[in-house]
């Protein structure tokens, strides 16, 4: 032999250390993934707020021009009615309860 002797206890201890290292690595990976997802959702929220404010300002500007210069009642109806339809659609979707069946395992498919 080559003089290297390893007992079964030492083998089990080595396997145990490897399993603990694997477990710690995976836990860190999960925490990093959760932190990255939280950062992305925060950025999405800021982006969404900016887009909502811009679109609301655009709608108000067009409505202001049409109301300030009256002439065609159908144009006034369209300028006031279409944004109301979009807003009601968005509110209805936001307030409608839907269920999403997801599992903790398997990731995104």
């Amino acid at each position: 032999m080559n003089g290297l002797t390893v007992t079964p206890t030492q083998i089990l201890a080595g396997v145990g250390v490897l399993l603990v290292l694997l477990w710690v690595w995976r836990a860190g990976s999960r925490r990093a993934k959760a932190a990255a997802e939280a950062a992305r959702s925060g950025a999405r929220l800021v982006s969404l707020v900016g887009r909502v404010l811009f679109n609301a300002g655009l709608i108000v500007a067009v409505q202001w021009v049409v109301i300030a210069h009256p002439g065609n009642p159908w144009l006034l109806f369209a300028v006031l009615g279409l944004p109301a339809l979009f807003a009601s659609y968005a509110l209805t979707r936001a307030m409608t309860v839907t269920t999403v069946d997801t599992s903790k395992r398997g990731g995104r498919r």
Side-chain angles (χ1 to χ4, degrees):
M1 289 200 124
N2 59 9
L4 179 65
T5 58
V6 180
T7 65
T9 305
Q10 291 172 330
I11 292 174
L12 285 176
V15 169
V17 167
L18 288 176
L19 286 175
V20 168
L21 286 174
L22 179 67
W23 177 70
V24 168
W25 176 69
R26 288 196 57 187
S29 171
R30 285 188 195 125
R31 272 190 298 246
K33 192 182 295 184
E37 181 61 32
R40 277 194 300 272
S41 70
R44 282 191 295 247
L45 178 63
V46 171
S47 176
L48 177 64
V49 168
R51 285 183 282 170
V52 166
L53 290 176
F54 175 78
N55 286 331
L58 186 65
I59 290 169
V60 167
V62 170
Q63 287 176 340
W64 181 267
V65 168
V66 170
I67 291 172
H69 303 299
N72 188 351
W74 287 107
L75 182 61
L76 181 65
F77 177 72
V79 166
L80 295 177
L82 282 176
L85 287 174
F86 287 126
S88 66
Y89 174 76
L91 285 173
T92 302
R93 293 254 336 216
M95 297 172 84
T96 300
V97 177
T98 59
T99 60
V100 178
D101 297 328
T102 59
S103 65
K104 296 281 184 187
R105 300 179 148 240
R108 296 180 182 165
R109 293 186 185 207

